[in-house]
Amino acid sequence: MYGLNGGGYYHVSEKVMANTISKILIWMVAGLLITFGVAFSIMTNPVMAMTVSRSYLLLIIAQFGVVIAMSGMVKKISVQTAKILFVVYSALTGATLSLLMMFFTTASIIYALIITVVIFSVMAIYGYTTKEDLSKFGNLLRVGIIALIILSLVNMFLRTAAIYWIVSYLGVLIFIGFIGYDMNMIKNNIIIMANGDEELIERFSVFGALMLYLDFINLFIYILRIVGLRNDD
């Protein structure tokens, strides 16, 4: 595998690529285990659930704060700090996600999780193995995110079933696209950094994990909205 470096090309060994991708996936899976571990713990503990419910806004603000801090210091933050922030973010997401999951049956949550794992795996493999440069789809996906946010905000006031389902299906399509896109970008970035700073590559492993983690969580949420059976049904 080769990447362009200044006036020439440099070799990127399959071992370097495989090791970096492995680190990214390990961190992503670790983050997901923390998230769902925290979520199910809160769901089964009424006292914790009540505490999280009362602190929901603060938890959301904390989530945004951690992501902004990580994104804004991508080149300055130490590897250890990046890892700590990722773990904290995963736990915070588990707390906020638990409130959504409480509305659905455990069986439908597991069903949605299985579907998410299958779709994520297929799209991640596609994004990694394809010879096509998927960066051209970046603007389209970002426009989709903006449309998704606007529709979600509108439906906070209108509360119509039609917009709810449009947002749910649109969200699934957008994050399916983002999984392939992000994995493709991760692979390309590894090539760019391959003969560069080892610490930068290590740090990127955490940020790459965060990208895929966010894709997984968002895809899961929208799939759950579609296939989830509510506890009061």
Side-chain angles (χ1 to χ4, degrees), residues 163-175:
I163 297 179
Y164 174 89
W165 290 113
I166 289 172
V167 167
S168 298
Y169 283 103
L170 182 60
V172 168
L173 291 175
I174 288 171
F175 285 102

Side-chain angles (χ1 to χ4, degrees), residues 19-71:
N19 285 345
T20 308
I21 291 294
S22 295
K23 288 179 182 178
I24 289 171
L25 293 177
I26 288 170
W27 271 105
M28 186 202 77
V29 171
L32 291 173
L33 290 174
I34 292 169
T35 295
F36 286 101
V38 169
F40 280 110
S41 296
I42 292 172
M43 288 172 63
T44 55
N45 188 316
V47 175
M48 288 178 65
M50 183 62 68
T51 301
V52 168
S53 179
R54 290 172 177 171
S55 309
Y56 185 73
L57 183 57
L58 289 176
L59 291 170
I60 291 292
I61 293 172
Q63 275 185 281
F64 278 109
V66 172
V67 167
I68 291 171
M70 290 184 71
S71 302

